[in-house]
Amino acid sequence: MIAVAVVVHDGRVLVGRRAEQATDAAGLHEFPGGKVEPGESPEAAAERECLEETGVAIRVRRLLDRGTGSAANGPLEILFFEAAAHEDDREPRMPFTWMPLAALPALSFPAANAGVIAALVQGGS
């Protein structure tokens, strides 16, 4: 299971781009997230992964969406969580950046992100 943090603040969302040589989803954009460890809740995994990948501490608010995807080692269940940053002015580590919500449709994300992206663009959080 994969837990993903969708961190929205002030009309912007935390987005990164995977390396071109990545095994899965090479070169595609992504929200911070990763595997849920044994004994860890999906919410805790989203918070941990976001901090590890971006340097931005967050708190999960609610489940936004569930999706499925595939990786080199098989199918994935993906949980997307709405989250808020603890510090509003925190700059993330590269390759993550704060991206305007309106820019999301022009970016290339894995197919499992389509519902979340549509909701973000429509809602304009």
Side-chain angles (χ1 to χ4, degrees):
M1 180 180 300
I2 302 296
V4 175
V6 181
V7 187
V8 179
H9 175 71
D10 206 19
R12 302 176 304 157
V13 62
L14 197 53
V15 174
R17 187 162 183 230
R18 295 184 63 85
E20 293 293 336
Q21 65 273 19
T23 303
D24 295 310
L28 297 181
H29 290 85
E30 66 179 347
F31 302 111
K35 292 179 186 170
V36 177
E37 300 293 336
E40 184 179 44
S41 73
E43 295 86 350
E47 291 173 352
R48 175 185 54 75
E49 288 284 349
C50 186
L51 182 60
E52 288 175 3
E53 292 179 0
T54 71
V56 176
I58 63 161
R59 67 184 172 285
V60 164
R61 290 184 173 162
R62 66 183 178 98
L63 181 66
L64 279 177
D65 196 16
R66 291 177 177 267
T68 57
S70 59
N73 59 352
L76 300 171
E77 178 183 5
I78 307 167
L79 301 178
F80 295 90
F81 292 97
E82 176 187 318
H86 285 300
E87 300 172 26
D88 292 342
D89 61 347
R90 180 72 182 198
E91 283 303 312
R93 284 193 297 263
M94 293 300 289
F96 287 88
T97 188
W98 291 106
M99 184 74 62
L101 289 169
L104 291 179
L107 304 178
S108 296
F109 281 86
N113 291 259
V116 170
I117 291 167
L120 289 170
V121 172
Q122 245 180 1
S125 296

